[in-house]
Amino acid sequence: MPAYKLSYFPIKGIAEAHFFPVIFVSRLLFVLAGEEFEDDQVPFDQWTVVKPTCPFLQLPLLTVDGRPIPQSFAIARYLASEFGFGGQTAFEAAWVDALADQWKDYFVEIKPYLGVANGFLKTGDVDQLRKEVGEPVRDKHFALLEKAAQDNGANGFFVGRSLTWVDLLVADHISVFEQHVPGFFDDFPAVRRIQKTVQAEPRLKQYLEQRSETYF
């Protein structure tokens, strides 16, 4: 069995968690697969020592039997592939990756509103940013995610008939986001059904219910 170590900066609370969503997907994949891993939270005052050891001079970093894998999406894709949550066929895997990349485009565009809505950023009018950034970005990208979910039969999964890491990515983002902006994604029922599927998964249910304000 490989030895896994997941390294990242400490996340203080839900506001900061918004900005590191794929870290939580990787953690959920470990929980879902029942795989043990070393939870390596690197203190900020030790970063100057750790930084030169990282291939791209940044975190997160997954180490597998001493070999590093950088970049959060690469880490999630690797773990999903290893644990069987990356799609059942090459075609499904391509669609999982495509949807995750589409979500990444959404995440980049919604950050100006997200940071103010969750209190992480202190500048900007939250109502104006919701109207000018949040809602247009949500409608643009989640319409595409909703269509993909509908095209898959609105069966509680984005791709195929079983959980994949893009289900975890989108579902966890919605759950965290709506702690600050309740009902923000109510107009996307097929995506909402995926969120409910993730929340009801027995291997994740207890972990998600017990997850604290600090997420750890």
Side-chain angles (χ1 to χ4, degrees), residues 37-151:
F37 71 102
E38 181 182 347
D39 188 13
D40 178 34
Q41 299 185 44
V42 178
F44 289 104
D45 60 6
Q46 294 182 20
W47 174 231
T48 56
V49 176
V50 175
K51 184 176 180 179
T53 69
C54 300
F56 294 161
L57 305 180
Q58 63 186 22
L59 295 178
L61 185 71
L62 176 69
T63 306
V64 183
D65 290 335
R67 297 181 297 170
I69 300 174
Q71 291 287 357
S72 56
F73 271 68
I75 291 168
R77 287 184 172 113
Y78 172 82
L79 292 175
S81 177
E82 287 293 291
F83 300 157
F85 301 105
Q88 299 302 307
T89 66
F91 186 83
E92 286 190 4
W95 260 101
V96 171
D97 288 349
L99 289 164
D101 287 341
Q102 182 65 40
W103 182 91
K104 187 192 296 186
D105 292 344
Y106 150 82
F107 188 67
V108 170
E109 292 182 30
I110 205 161
K111 270 188 174 182
Y113 169 61
L114 178 61
V116 175
N118 68 21
F120 186 70
L121 301 177
K122 305 302 181 183
T123 58
D125 181 274
V126 66
D127 293 328
Q128 182 179 359
L129 283 168
R130 174 169 179 156
K131 181 179 179 180
E132 296 180 356
V133 178
E135 292 177 354
V137 170
R138 174 202 62 191
D139 294 346
K140 170 186 172 183
H141 290 282
F142 269 75
L144 300 174
L145 296 178
E146 176 72 12
K147 184 178 186 304
Q150 293 282 1
D151 288 348

Side-chain angles (χ1 to χ4, degrees), residues 166-181:
V166 74
D167 298 325
L168 305 181
L169 176 66
V170 176
D172 203 50
H173 171 72
I174 291 173
S175 297
V176 175
F177 198 120
E178 290 194 332
Q179 293 191 42
H180 297 279
V181 191

Side-chain angles (χ1 to χ4, degrees), residues 147-168:
K147 184 178 186 304
Q150 293 282 1
D151 288 348
N152 195 47
N155 62 355
F157 309 106
F158 274 117
V159 178
R161 297 182 179 180
S162 59
L163 280 175
T164 63
W165 72 276
V166 74
D167 298 325
L168 305 181

Side-chain angles (χ1 to χ4, degrees), residues 194-205 208:
I194 292 168
Q195 180 197 19
K196 292 179 179 178
T197 298
V198 171
Q199 291 174 332
E201 164 57 47
R203 291 168 290 182
L204 296 176
K205 195 174 190 312
L208 291 172

